[in-house]
PDB file of all heavy atoms in Angstrom:
ATOM      1  N   GLY A  67       2.065  27.469  18.831  1.00  0.00           N
ATOM      2  CA  GLY A  67       0.721  27.667  19.139  1.00  0.00           C
ATOM      3  C   GLY A  67      -0.089  27.789  17.830  1.00  0.00           C
ATOM      4  O   GLY A  67       0.247  27.385  16.851  1.00  0.00           O
ATOM      5  N   GLY A  68      -1.151  28.624  17.938  1.00  0.00           N
ATOM      6  CA  GLY A  68      -2.019  28.826  16.822  1.00  0.00           C
ATOM      7  C   GLY A  68      -3.167  27.944  16.721  1.00  0.00           C
ATOM      8  O   GLY A  68      -3.346  26.946  17.507  1.00  0.00           O
ATOM      9  N   THR A  69      -4.066  28.036  15.706  1.00  0.00           N
ATOM     10  CA  THR A  69      -5.215  27.183  15.527  1.00  0.00           C
ATOM     11  C   THR A  69      -4.765  25.623  15.371  1.00  0.00           C
ATOM     12  O   THR A  69      -5.598  24.851  15.743  1.00  0.00           O
ATOM     13  CB  THR A  69      -5.932  27.656  14.409  1.00  0.00           C
ATOM     14  OG1 THR A  69      -6.499  28.995  14.590  1.00  0.00           O
ATOM     15  CG2 THR A  69      -7.247  26.864  14.047  1.00  0.00           C
ATOM     16  N   ILE A  70      -3.644  25.421  14.729  1.00  0.00           N
ATOM     17  CA  ILE A  70      -3.219  24.120  14.572  1.00  0.00           C
ATOM     18  C   ILE A  70      -3.000  23.418  15.834  1.00  0.00           C
ATOM     19  O   ILE A  70      -3.171  22.208  15.909  1.00  0.00           O
ATOM     20  CB  ILE A  70      -1.919  24.102  13.696  1.00  0.00           C
ATOM     21  CG1 ILE A  70      -1.620  22.684  13.197  1.00  0.00           C
ATOM     22  CG2 ILE A  70      -0.757  24.635  14.485  1.00  0.00           C
ATOM     23  CD1 ILE A  70      -0.553  22.531  12.176  1.00  0.00           C
ATOM     24  N   TYR A  82     -13.294  28.514  18.985  1.00  0.00           N
ATOM     25  CA  TYR A  82     -12.183  27.577  19.433  1.00  0.00           C
ATOM     26  C   TYR A  82     -11.193  28.379  20.180  1.00  0.00           C
ATOM     27  O   TYR A  82     -11.128  29.639  20.096  1.00  0.00           O
ATOM     28  CB  TYR A  82     -11.458  26.867  18.210  1.00  0.00           C
ATOM     29  CG  TYR A  82     -10.877  27.890  17.201  1.00  0.00           C
ATOM     30  CD1 TYR A  82      -9.468  28.202  17.382  1.00  0.00           C
ATOM     31  CD2 TYR A  82     -11.476  28.523  16.293  1.00  0.00           C
ATOM     32  CE1 TYR A  82      -8.757  29.060  16.497  1.00  0.00           C
ATOM     33  CE2 TYR A  82     -10.932  29.397  15.432  1.00  0.00           C
ATOM     34  CZ  TYR A  82      -9.603  29.628  15.650  1.00  0.00           C
ATOM     35  OH  TYR A  82      -8.886  30.544  14.742  1.00  0.00           O
ATOM     36  N   SER A  84      -7.065  28.931  20.482  1.00  0.00           N
ATOM     37  CA  SER A  84      -5.870  28.514  19.847  1.00  0.00           C
ATOM     38  C   SER A  84      -4.772  28.264  20.911  1.00  0.00           C
ATOM     39  O   SER A  84      -4.936  28.841  21.968  1.00  0.00           O
ATOM     40  CB  SER A  84      -5.520  29.534  18.704  1.00  0.00           C
ATOM     41  OG  SER A  84      -5.120  30.720  19.327  1.00  0.00           O
ATOM     42  N   VAL A 113       0.876  30.155  21.934  1.00  0.00           N
ATOM     43  CA  VAL A 113       0.159  31.424  21.770  1.00  0.00           C
ATOM     44  C   VAL A 113      -0.475  31.537  20.533  1.00  0.00           C
ATOM     45  O   VAL A 113      -0.141  30.909  19.464  1.00  0.00           O
ATOM     46  CB  VAL A 113       1.032  32.715  21.953  1.00  0.00           C
ATOM     47  CG1 VAL A 113       1.669  32.706  23.238  1.00  0.00           C
ATOM     48  CG2 VAL A 113       2.042  32.745  20.879  1.00  0.00           C
ATOM     49  N   GLY A 114      -1.617  32.247  20.344  1.00  0.00           N
ATOM     50  CA  GLY A 114      -2.308  32.616  19.084  1.00  0.00           C
ATOM     51  C   GLY A 114      -1.231  33.516  18.482  1.00  0.00           C
ATOM     52  O   GLY A 114      -0.577  34.422  19.209  1.00  0.00           O
ATOM     53  N   SER A 115      -1.047  33.498  17.163  1.00  0.00           N
ATOM     54  CA  SER A 115       0.063  34.287  16.550  1.00  0.00           C
ATOM     55  C   SER A 115      -0.170  35.704  16.540  1.00  0.00           C
ATOM     56  O   SER A 115       0.680  36.552  16.170  1.00  0.00           O
ATOM     57  CB  SER A 115       0.352  33.692  15.073  1.00  0.00           C
ATOM     58  OG  SER A 115      -0.629  34.018  14.289  1.00  0.00           O
ATOM     59  N   GLN A 116      -1.355  36.233  16.965  1.00  0.00           N
ATOM     60  CA  GLN A 116      -1.562  37.637  17.233  1.00  0.00           C
ATOM     61  C   GLN A 116      -0.745  38.035  18.464  1.00  0.00           C
ATOM     62  O   GLN A 116      -0.412  39.364  18.537  1.00  0.00           O
ATOM     63  CB  GLN A 116      -3.042  37.924  17.421  1.00  0.00           C
ATOM     64  CG  GLN A 116      -3.732  37.222  18.721  1.00  0.00           C
ATOM     65  CD  GLN A 116      -4.219  35.864  18.425  1.00  0.00           C
ATOM     66  OE1 GLN A 116      -3.872  35.300  17.512  1.00  0.00           O
ATOM     67  NE2 GLN A 116      -5.114  35.482  19.381  1.00  0.00           N
ATOM     68  N   HIS A 146       2.436  27.056  13.817  1.00  0.00           N
ATOM     69  CA  HIS A 146       2.300  28.532  13.973  1.00  0.00           C
ATOM     70  C   HIS A 146       0.834  29.025  13.745  1.00  0.00           C
ATOM     71  O   HIS A 146       0.160  28.367  12.806  1.00  0.00           O
ATOM     72  CB  HIS A 146       3.262  29.291  13.134  1.00  0.00           C
ATOM     73  CG  HIS A 146       3.722  30.673  13.392  1.00  0.00           C
ATOM     74  ND1 HIS A 146       2.753  31.688  13.333  1.00  0.00           N
ATOM     75  CD2 HIS A 146       4.829  31.232  13.821  1.00  0.00           C
ATOM     76  CE1 HIS A 146       3.353  32.741  13.614  1.00  0.00           C
ATOM     77  NE2 HIS A 146       4.486  32.633  13.966  1.00  0.00           N
ATOM     78  N   GLY A 147       0.348  29.976  14.460  1.00  0.00           N
ATOM     79  CA  GLY A 147      -0.855  30.534  14.010  1.00  0.00           C
ATOM     80  C   GLY A 147      -0.767  31.148  12.678  1.00  0.00           C
ATOM     81  O   GLY A 147       0.299  31.613  12.149  1.00  0.00           O
ATOM     82  N   THR A 148      -1.881  31.231  11.972  1.00  0.00           N
ATOM     83  CA  THR A 148      -1.869  31.628  10.551  1.00  0.00           C
ATOM     84  C   THR A 148      -1.795  33.235  10.385  1.00  0.00           C
ATOM     85  O   THR A 148      -1.469  33.813   9.374  1.00  0.00           O
ATOM     86  CB  THR A 148      -3.080  31.111   9.725  1.00  0.00           C
ATOM     87  OG1 THR A 148      -4.242  31.494  10.398  1.00  0.00           O
ATOM     88  CG2 THR A 148      -2.928  29.577   9.632  1.00  0.00           C
ATOM     89  N   ASP A 149      -2.291  33.908  11.429  1.00  0.00           N
ATOM     90  CA  ASP A 149      -2.497  35.385  11.400  1.00  0.00           C
ATOM     91  C   ASP A 149      -1.196  36.116  10.972  1.00  0.00           C
ATOM     92  O   ASP A 149      -1.151  36.968  10.262  1.00  0.00           O
ATOM     93  CB  ASP A 149      -3.054  35.950  12.660  1.00  0.00           C
ATOM     94  CG  ASP A 149      -4.549  35.518  12.839  1.00  0.00           C
ATOM     95  OD1 ASP A 149      -5.096  34.956  11.916  1.00  0.00           O
ATOM     96  OD2 ASP A 149      -5.098  35.949  13.962  1.00  0.00           O
ATOM     97  N   THR A 150      -0.084  35.659  11.687  1.00  0.00           N
ATOM     98  CA  THR A 150       1.135  36.357  11.439  1.00  0.00           C
ATOM     99  C   THR A 150       2.329  35.449  10.891  1.00  0.00           C
ATOM    100  O   THR A 150       3.443  35.728  11.029  1.00  0.00           O
ATOM    101  CB  THR A 150       1.662  37.045  12.700  1.00  0.00           C
ATOM    102  OG1 THR A 150       1.937  36.026  13.735  1.00  0.00           O
ATOM    103  CG2 THR A 150       0.587  38.107  13.290  1.00  0.00           C
ATOM    104  N   SER A 173      -2.936  25.924  10.571  1.00  0.00           N
ATOM    105  CA  SER A 173      -4.275  25.342  10.114  1.00  0.00           C
ATOM    106  C   SER A 173      -5.287  26.452  10.215  1.00  0.00           C
ATOM    107  O   SER A 173      -5.209  27.363  11.020  1.00  0.00           O
ATOM    108  CB  SER A 173      -4.609  24.023  10.820  1.00  0.00           C
ATOM    109  OG  SER A 173      -5.070  24.478  12.033  1.00  0.00           O
ATOM    110  N   MET A 174      -6.388  26.311   9.431  1.00  0.00           N
ATOM    111  CA  MET A 174      -7.348  27.335   9.483  1.00  0.00           C
ATOM    112  C   MET A 174      -8.515  26.673  10.419  1.00  0.00           C
ATOM    113  O   MET A 174      -9.303  27.477  10.791  1.00  0.00           O
ATOM    114  CB  MET A 174      -7.976  27.571   8.171  1.00  0.00           C
ATOM    115  CG  MET A 174      -6.952  28.266   7.223  1.00  0.00           C
ATOM    116  SD  MET A 174      -6.413  29.832   7.878  1.00  0.00           S
ATOM    117  CE  MET A 174      -7.978  30.785   7.709  1.00  0.00           C
ATOM    118  N   ARG A 175      -8.549  25.453  10.678  1.00  0.00           N
ATOM    119  CA  ARG A 175      -9.679  24.954  11.410  1.00  0.00           C
ATOM    120  C   ARG A 175      -8.959  24.113  12.617  1.00  0.00           C
ATOM    121  O   ARG A 175      -7.886  23.414  12.459  1.00  0.00           O
ATOM    122  CB  ARG A 175     -10.488  23.820  10.675  1.00  0.00           C
ATOM    123  CG  ARG A 175     -11.218  24.567   9.568  1.00  0.00           C
ATOM    124  CD  ARG A 175     -11.885  23.632   8.665  1.00  0.00           C
ATOM    125  NE  ARG A 175     -12.594  24.325   7.640  1.00  0.00           N
ATOM    126  CZ  ARG A 175     -13.078  23.744   6.512  1.00  0.00           C
ATOM    127  NH1 ARG A 175     -12.914  22.403   6.293  1.00  0.00           N
ATOM    128  NH2 ARG A 175     -13.734  24.441   5.697  1.00  0.00           N
ATOM    129  N   LYS A 221      -1.637  36.170   3.831  1.00  0.00           N
ATOM    130  CA  LYS A 221      -2.978  35.608   4.176  1.00  0.00           C
ATOM    131  C   LYS A 221      -4.076  36.428   3.471  1.00  0.00           C
ATOM    132  O   LYS A 221      -4.038  37.646   3.539  1.00  0.00           O
ATOM    133  CB  LYS A 221      -3.188  35.632   5.666  1.00  0.00           C
ATOM    134  CG  LYS A 221      -4.418  34.909   6.231  1.00  0.00           C
ATOM    135  CD  LYS A 221      -4.509  34.788   7.698  1.00  0.00           C
ATOM    136  CE  LYS A 221      -5.640  33.832   8.104  1.00  0.00           C
ATOM    137  NZ  LYS A 221      -5.715  33.640   9.599  1.00  0.00           N
TER     138      LYS A 221
HETATM  139  N1  LIG R  16      -5.480  34.129  15.656  1.00  0.00           N
HETATM  140  C1  LIG R  16      -5.030  32.772  15.834  1.00  0.00           C
HETATM  141  C2  LIG R  16      -3.585  32.651  15.301  1.00  0.00           C
HETATM  142  O1  LIG R  16      -3.066  33.254  14.521  1.00  0.00           O
HETATM  143  C3  LIG R  16      -5.879  31.882  14.875  1.00  0.00           C
HETATM  144  C4  LIG R  16      -5.483  31.889  13.520  1.00  0.00           C
HETATM  145  C5  LIG R  16      -4.876  30.635  12.999  1.00  0.00           C
HETATM  146  O2  LIG R  16      -4.005  30.119  13.633  1.00  0.00           O
HETATM  147  O3  LIG R  16      -5.379  30.127  12.024  1.00  0.00           O
HETATM  148  O4  LIG R  16      -2.807  31.905  16.005  1.00  0.00           O
END
Side-chain angles (χ1 to χ4, degrees):
T69 297
I70 192 167
Y82 66 93
S84 69
V113 298
S115 69
Q116 63 275 20
H146 199 289
T148 59
D149 289 353
T150 63
S173 76
M174 294 302 290
R175 296 173 181 163
K221 190 172 188 178

